[in-house]
Amino acid sequence: MTSDNEIIDYSSPEEVAGRILRWAKQVPQGFAMVVTNNAALREEAVQMLARQASEQEVSFRRVILPFASDGASVAQSLEGTLKSQPFELVSVEGFSIAFGNKATVLDGLRVLNTFRERLSEIPGCQVWWVSPMMLQSMRLVAPDLVRYFLITERLPDRDETVPGSVWSKLQLIESGIRPLNEESLWRECIDLFVAHAPYLSAEDFFEFDDRLATLVRRESGMAYNGLVGELLASSNTVSRSRRVVEIAWTLDSIGKSEEALEVIQHLMPDRESALTSVATATRAKIFLSLGAADLGLEEAQISLTKANELAAVFGETREPLRSKIEALERIADAYQQLGHFEDSLSASEQMVAACERSIAKYGESRESLSFLCGALERLADTRMILGMGEQSLAVAEQGLWVCERINGEFGEEHHSLRGLCVCLMRVADAHLRLRNGPIALSIAEQSEKVCKRIIAVYGETRESLRDLSISLCYVSDAHRLLGNGEQALLSAERTRAGFDQILRQYGESYASINDIIESELNLVSLRLQSGEIASFDDLTRRSSQFLLPDNGLAPLPLQRLLLKVWLVALTSWHQALTGDQMRAKANLAEAEKLIQERFDRFGPHFYLDKRVAADLETAKRMYFEEFGKAFDESGSTEPPVAQDPQADPKK
């Protein structure tokens, strides 16, 4: 071990990355620390480190600590992750949000300190990225842990003259040096923080709010409404409201949609137009995440109305135009969830036009091109659903070209690489629907590689694991189209394993349950195709649990109803293979009834996914082959509704 290291002079991201990599190549294991509170420079340094490690053939990965956990959970999670797949160099990030609701930072660091020897014995070099305040806290309660760091680097901090005093006061209170016994003290901290809120990250909000609330309750018993409430009481400016929106988006992206809805409720539509547009667009996104498409559409339409009102007063300047794009994006998504595809197409076309106007007025930027890329993705989706296969492919390829420009001209980052992965999947999907098997397989495999690269560089998240699983599903579909049964089955099994991992690690959500059902039914279809029938009940148990019981609640959403048709068709197929004629016929009749229900509810927007339509036809054929007569529920062997194999439940 070494003695405490003095922090050296500020260095550039390139210098920090270079020195850390040289150190990592010289030692088999150990700790390094990089101190900064500048999230942008930290991300730049990490990306440089990842690129240089790849160029010099040093295995590298990013590990993000679990959100708002106690010290033991953080330490055990880090230890388990490092041991599960050793790397030569590991970037450990997320300390500012790791110790939240369940423990103060100081208590968490005390527990983490007890794991220092176990963590130091794991092969590989670890780089911990911490804020100056976090380092001070370590020195206060875990000096032995600080001595384990062999080198310490420092990146320039952001300008935080006044917010810095907030952190200093908070640390004094936590350490007991300055007791919290007067309302003026914590009120002063809040006022300072609110004044500089537009320049602070969402992570700062979580960290400060959790710690301050804990202190207020513990030391004084005074009421505290949370920083969001204090922020809105202080000001209604759009720039500050966007920080509240950032918190809600962060919660929604990690699967905490209910909590996100609570946060965004603070931005109610009785405020100024710009604030209302921002708030309602975000509320629409959260409702869509929860599967409440009707509520999401209502919020998105309010957002669009307010954005148009703002544009009428001030002209179509940058802020109203951005709000309009965001509102149209939510409207397109909501209409698609509701099965109103013509309306979704119209909203998508308007979104593309608004993005193009924004670029024409204000020039190209990473953000403006990203919005255009997202608009083109939605337009490609909707055109494919409506049977415009060639037009959909052209739009998807245009979106891919825009995404490649973003990465090429503005540099690769997590979000832009994720956009590339999604665009590749859109193009692969379009080729699948046009039955261009070899091209679809090649592009789907490219998407898989990009997803794996994102996980290797930035670590596993709910989003990155889901993207990888969906890309594997497209690989499976392409193999299936090409008649490669074994490869299709292998990729389908990996898809289901990926969705299972998401469910275990991040819990249930509307999307995660849909993913599980679809991956299981796809796997069942492939196994029935190969003649395997023994494990049918085990494979469909969870799907049956979510889709079959009639509990008297609202009708199944479009996506769930489509999956229910698939399950019933597969069940009939299986029953035909096992000689159960009566139940096979009953399930075919149930499938036809569900199809009619879909047609009654969604009218001309009705469609059947290509796999569902194919498996329903196979079930009817198996019924005929096994029992010597065609299924004839209504005097005809033809399905009551023409099936358009254009759309896919994977959204």
Side-chain angles (χ1 to χ4, degrees):
M1 302 300 114
T2 65
S3 60
D4 285 355
N5 297 293
E6 293 298 320
I7 297 179
I8 63 173
D9 293 336
Y10 291 135
S11 301
S12 69
E14 186 175 10
E15 291 170 334
V16 168
R19 281 197 290 265
I20 287 176
L21 188 57
R22 286 194 294 273
W23 163 72
K25 292 174 70 176
Q26 294 170 3
V27 298
Q29 61 198 69
F31 292 104
M33 179 188 295
V34 181
V35 184
T36 186
N37 64 4
N38 191 317
L41 285 183
R42 180 187 65 214
E43 183 64 24
E44 184 180 347
V46 173
Q47 291 195 29
M48 284 185 175
L49 190 58
R51 284 197 295 270
Q52 292 178 19
S54 177
E55 291 167 359
Q56 299 183 38
E57 298 183 345
V58 174
S59 60
F60 174 85
R61 76 169 298 182
R62 296 177 75 166
V63 173
I64 311 298
L65 296 176
F67 170 76
S69 299
D70 57 85
S73 297
V74 171
Q76 289 166 1
S77 173
L78 179 58
E79 182 182 28
T81 301
L82 294 174
K83 285 183 174 179
S84 65
Q85 192 176 4
F87 282 75
E88 294 172 278
L89 183 58
V90 179
S91 173
V92 183
E93 305 161 44
F95 284 95
S96 61
I97 59 170
F99 307 109
N101 299 323
K102 298 180 181 178
T104 67
V105 171
L106 297 181
D107 288 341
L109 288 174
R110 289 188 184 98
V111 177
L112 188 60
N113 183 41
T114 64
F115 282 76
R116 64 183 185 276
E117 291 186 4
R118 290 162 57 175
L119 293 172
S120 69
E121 292 170 356
I122 300 172
C125 296
Q126 302 173 39
V127 185
W128 291 21
W129 303 80
V130 302
S131 65
M133 182 272 300
M134 185 67 69
L135 176 57
Q136 292 174 11
S137 299
M138 281 187 185
R139 286 175 167 163
L140 182 67
V141 300
D144 292 337
L145 176 60
V146 176
R147 284 192 285 271
Y148 268 65
F149 288 89
L150 302 177
I151 63 171
T152 302
E153 298 279 353
R154 180 152 191 171
L155 290 168
D157 294 331
R158 61 174 176 265
D159 183 11
E160 60 152 10
T161 307
V162 177
S165 66
V166 175
W167 297 118
S168 299
K169 290 179 180 179
L170 190 60
Q171 187 184 7
L172 288 174
I173 297 168
E174 288 180 327
S175 63
I177 297 173
R178 184 175 180 182
L180 182 68
N181 53 18
E182 295 180 2
E183 180 174 354
S184 61
L185 179 60
W186 70 270
R187 175 61 59 186
E188 181 183 3
C189 288
I190 292 174
D191 289 345
L192 286 170
F193 192 85
V194 167
H196 291 262
Y199 313 106
L200 300 175
S201 70
E203 291 183 358
D204 290 327
F205 270 93
F206 283 121
E207 181 176 343
F208 189 90
D209 212 12
D210 286 342
R211 292 170 57 188
L212 184 60
T214 299
L215 286 166
V216 168
R217 289 191 296 267
R218 186 184 73 191
E219 301 293 339
S220 69
M222 290 183 289
Y224 176 64
N225 296 323
L227 262 180
V228 174
E230 299 295 336
L231 178 62
L232 293 176
S234 172
S235 173
N236 274 348
T237 63
V238 174
S239 61
R240 290 177 182 174
S241 74
R242 283 203 176 276
R243 288 302 178 187
V244 182
V245 170
E246 188 177 346
I247 294 175
W249 273 67
T250 302
L251 285 168
D252 187 55
S253 68
I254 61 176
K256 295 182 177 293
S257 299
E258 296 285 358
E259 292 86 341
L261 193 58
E262 278 188 34
V263 169
I264 206 65
Q265 295 287 44
H266 290 282
L267 298 177
M268 297 305 292
D270 58 350
R271 300 181 184 271
E272 63 182 85
S273 296
L275 183 60
T276 303
S277 181
V278 171
T280 51
T282 305
R283 281 157 57 88
K285 177 182 183 295
I286 296 166
F287 280 129
L288 292 173
S289 296
L290 293 167
D294 51 346
L295 295 176
L297 178 60
E298 182 181 342
E299 293 291 321
Q301 288 171 332
I302 293 172
S303 177
L304 181 60
T305 299
K306 295 301 181 182
N308 286 333
E309 289 175 359
L310 198 65
V313 175
F314 299 104
E316 202 172 51
T317 55
R318 189 187 300 269
E319 189 62 37
L321 197 50
R322 174 179 172 176
S323 296
K324 185 171 185 176
I325 291 168
E326 290 175 344
L328 287 168
E329 181 180 12
R330 305 294 162 238
I331 289 172
D333 289 346
Y335 275 132
Q336 194 167 105
Q337 277 196 22
L338 290 167
H340 300 170
F341 300 113
E342 294 286 357
D343 294 325
S344 180
L345 178 65
S346 175
S348 299
E349 289 172 341
Q350 291 178 59
M351 184 183 173
V352 170
C355 289
E356 290 173 343
R357 289 201 305 276
S358 176
I359 291 172
K361 278 189 173 185
Y362 303 107
E364 292 183 349
S365 66
R366 181 186 291 276
E367 180 184 62
S368 65
L369 288 176
S370 296
F371 273 123
L372 176 59
C373 189
L376 291 168
E377 287 173 17
R378 282 163 179 80
L379 183 57
D381 275 348
T382 313
R383 284 185 173 177
M384 184 59 75
I385 289 170
L386 292 171
M388 307 174 186
E390 295 291 347
Q391 295 179 44
S392 174
L393 176 59
V395 173
E397 289 177 336
Q398 184 184 354
L400 178 58
W401 177 76
V402 172
C403 192
E404 288 173 339
R405 282 194 58 204
I406 294 171
N407 285 281
E409 296 183 17
F410 297 95
E412 293 181 349
E413 63 173 22
H414 190 179
H415 181 73
S416 63
L417 279 176
R418 199 256 167 175
L420 177 61
C421 172
V422 172
C423 285
L424 285 166
M425 285 192 277
R426 290 288 186 277
V427 176
D429 186 36
H431 280 293
L432 278 170
R433 298 174 197 279
L434 294 171
R435 305 192 69 77
N436 301 329
I439 300 175
L441 179 59
S442 174
I443 295 174
E445 288 176 338
Q446 290 180 49
S447 176
E448 179 190 354
K449 289 178 182 177
V450 175
C451 291
K452 288 179 176 177
R453 181 179 167 199
I454 290 171
I455 291 173
V457 174
Y458 300 101
E460 291 181 350
T461 64
R462 176 195 291 266
E463 180 180 74
S464 64
L465 287 172
R466 185 173 190 265
D467 287 342
L468 177 58
S469 298
I470 293 176
S471 70
L472 286 167
C473 188
Y474 284 120
V475 171
S476 175
D477 287 351
H479 279 302
R480 184 175 187 171
L481 180 60
L482 293 169
N484 304 329
E486 290 186 7
Q487 293 94 326
L489 188 59
L490 177 61
S491 295
E493 288 172 341
R494 292 170 62 198
T495 299
R496 191 184 69 154
F499 289 136
D500 277 335
Q501 181 181 350
I502 293 169
L503 201 63
R504 287 195 307 272
Q505 290 184 200
Y506 302 100
E508 288 185 1
S509 68
Y510 179 80
S512 67
I513 291 175
N514 282 348
D515 290 337
I516 283 290
I517 296 170
E518 184 187 349
S519 63
E520 287 184 346
L521 297 182
N522 189 45
L523 188 57
V524 169
S525 173
L526 288 165
R527 289 190 173 177
L528 286 175
Q529 210 169 46
S530 65
E532 181 182 335
I533 61 175
S535 57
F536 180 85
D537 291 338
D538 289 336
L539 284 172
T540 59
R541 184 170 288 113
R542 278 190 296 185
S543 300
S544 300
Q545 173 189 345
F546 288 116
L547 294 175
L548 291 185
D550 182 9
N551 52 18
L553 299 179
L556 284 173
L558 175 67
Q559 188 176 11
R560 291 277 174 90
L561 189 55
L562 172 62
L563 293 172
K564 187 172 180 178
V565 173
W566 199 4
L567 173 60
V568 174
L570 290 172
T571 303
S572 177
W573 181 358
H574 176 259
Q575 288 162 345
L577 290 174
T578 56
D580 193 339
Q581 180 179 355
M582 290 184 62
R583 289 205 288 176
K585 182 177 181 179
N587 276 302
L588 282 176
E590 175 68 11
E592 298 289 11
K593 178 182 175 183
L594 291 169
I595 290 172
Q596 189 62 51
E597 178 186 340
R598 285 169 60 81
F599 183 78
D600 292 343
R601 287 174 57 191
F602 303 108
H605 309 294
F606 168 80
Y607 67 88
L608 272 188
D609 167 71
K610 58 185 182 298
R611 293 169 299 178
V612 180
D615 286 346
L616 181 56
E617 289 306 308
T618 300
K620 291 180 179 179
R621 189 181 72 250
M622 293 305 303
Y623 183 87
F624 174 79
E625 291 177 359
E626 294 296 325
F627 307 118
K629 55 183 178 180
F631 167 73
D632 187 5
E633 181 69 13
S634 58
S636 171
T637 59
E638 296 299 319
V641 180
Q643 286 134 24
D644 181 4
Q646 295 294 333
D648 202 321
K650 306 190 270 290
K651 297 293 179 203

